[in-house]
Amino acid sequence: MKKILLATALLIGVNGIAQNYFVIDKSAGTTAPYNMNDTSGTAILTGVTGGMTNTLSSAQSFPFSGWKFYDTVVTQFKVSSSGYLTFDVSQTADVTINTTLPSTSAPKSAIFAFWDNLMLSPVTQGANTFPSDVKSFIYGTAPNRVFVVQWRLAQVSSVSNVTYFAIRFYEQGHFDIVENYGFGTFSATVGTNNANGTVGYNLQASPNMNFGGKNGSYNAALSDVYRFTFGNQPDVLLQIKQNTTTPLVSLTSPVTTIKVKVANYGKISTSLAKFNYSVDNGPTKSQMLSPFVVNSEGQDIVEAIHPMTYTAVTADAGTFKNVKAWFSDININKGNSDTLSFQIFVNKGISGTKRVLIEEASGGWCGFCTDGHIKMRDILADNYNVGGTIYKAIGVVHHNSDGMAHTESNTINSAGFLTGYPSAFIDRTKFAEIATVATSNRGVWAQKVTDQAATSTPCNVTIINKTFNAATRQISFDVKVDFVDYALPGDMRITAFIVEDKVRGPLISTTNTQWNQHNYYSMNDAGAGGASHELYTQPAYFYGYMHRHVVRAILPSAWGVAGDIATNPTLGGSYTKSFTYSLPAMVSMNSATDYPGFQNIYTEFQNTFTGPAQNKPTDVSIVALVSYYDTDIKKRMVINANKAPLMWASSVKENTNNSISSNVYPNPANGITRIDFNMMQTDNVSIEVYNLVGQKVMDIKNGGFATGEHSVYFNANDLSNGVYIININTANGGKSSNKIVVAN
């Protein structure tokens, strides 16, 4: 018996000594007031041109009284250019060769934020110099302050290998490590080492860990955050990370599968577990999942799908169902997980007229964006009239760093959606197989539009009471939202885009991209798509490029304002929001002075003729949308949208396939005159001019046109002054007429 008691005592003692730090949670994203590039902090190490290497700072005071590391109070620390912090201030030499932990050869009493053979060296690109340093700063208020030690622009041997990272110390006693972003290749260690190097912990990828966060550019929402805790790491520590159950259930498809994602921060992997859930505190549904493998140390996140479904009933319509989910009997006898509580909402499954909003991020400087414009063109043509719904897909373009960029579109582009230019947000929906809300994979845009078009919407959006005062140039309109079903409750907002088509500006210079559009697909540039790409024979820079679907303004602001719609709108509820906007004065181009050397070009992409170029009422449309707002950008989905041209009917008419909408500009006509028309289907078109006694006086065009928007030009100087009728006819019986006045 004494031997047994002694062995037990020794085991307890060993376990006490062996207490260690380990990661208890890995999450994505940081929020204010933490700032990856804080410039106001205290400099501990400042990089020098040529590179600061093998450097250990002087001793720094630790700001929190009584804060413990490996159960020992710390008061001072030193920081290394090689990516670690040590509380052993007797250390004088930097250690640059990283290894696995624990290690007696590694720095003692240390936290390794990103330990590699790093240097600190500022980087100059053009007129900008980016600092490379280690700084500290504090945010928050006592007793919940956070002390940050931050490495900025840490490099291996060249500026092609750069990363940012930090340690955040919480006044309450724990810490986390933030891997912000980087590019290039590293072989680092991330973890801890105790005071004699006998107890330590490192992330699984150490000592060959690459940077965390976004590759190539900073995105706060994609930073990797590792939260450390001190104690005895259990064999299995299963945590439910996310609810992936569909939040909205319709009575038309009432069967719902309960799904969650889990991670395991224990020492060993799981092999099986019982998945449990209950709805509204009702009977528990349990099912053993075997095999159910979730690797240890938070190496992966696994989705668990409960085999037993939940079915909504008629009485559930318009209500939330409260769900609790948890795991038990993990690896038979390794305990339970935490419990996740969430809600699903039930509606009747009645849909309004669904229209899909495509928002493309673009810029004149972006040579790949021309292909994005073509993809948008083709998607809109394919979805112009689907089952009698005009504008089944609505396209807009948010510009960046060119003549069409503005604050509100910049806000949307910089919200963390983007992975590059061009990118598209389809109804601002986060698709499961796409990492972010926006995708730069142009190959999936069309399919995602088709997928969204097949979804239901609980409301109809219409644009009514639309007026334009030509003297004051004020646009006034109302957006009306009618709920045909219960909507998933939330902060729903009404916003409107003022969108202009065929926007163009002056040449400025042959390579200036304020208004010109760069084209990487040109054989005179990168030839990015090869000889088969339709832009291959086009110029490397488009002069007088007709920028399509340009968002000129967003009303009232990028994300709208709260209170437009009740959080839980009633079935049959109706909400109206009024808008006004002053259209700026129209800007015209002069072919000779604005496009010297490139006058009088007109193609599908270019127009260097003299004439209206910006703020043209006949090319302005209103796009209205209803969307959710949430602090999580992945939850700002567009519920529905609609579009109405400013100068046409006040609401979109659901036309038959052989209908044509048309307009003539300018009117009165003088010189080059443009005829705009929309084709509902591919057809042969004749465009003719008649005088008031019915005599044909001019043939403008006779040929085939595909589905979509088109413009044809003619010279009104070829007609005598007077009143004329322009007739557009298609082979399948489509007709449209416009009366014009010629005043040369």
Side-chain angles (χ1 to χ4, degrees), residues 66 107 175 227 287 408 432 436 572 647 652 724:
F175 70 90
R227 182 183 177 187
Q287 185 73 40
E408 302 302 333
T436 57
M647 302 301 286
V652 175
Y724 297 88

Side-chain angles (χ1 to χ4, degrees), residues 338-387:
D338 57 336
T339 297
L340 181 69
S341 297
F342 57 92
Q343 294 180 314
I344 54 178
F345 186 76
V346 183
N347 71 6
K348 301 178 76 171
I350 302 169
S351 181
T353 302
K354 173 64 179 174
R355 292 179 170 89
V356 182
L357 180 67
I358 316 164
E359 298 172 86
E360 182 180 346
S362 183
W365 49 270
C366 170
F368 289 116
C369 287
T370 49
D371 187 63
H373 301 164
I374 288 174
K375 292 292 190 297
M376 171 83 83
R377 176 200 67 189
D378 294 344
I379 290 169
L380 296 183
D382 290 343
N383 291 275
Y384 183 76
N385 182 354
V386 178

Side-chain angles (χ1 to χ4, degrees), residues 73 107 116 154 162 181 239 251 254 346 414 424 501 666 743:
V73 173
D116 201 355
V162 170
Y181 95 102
Q239 289 188 16
L251 292 179
V346 183
S414 61
D501 205 32

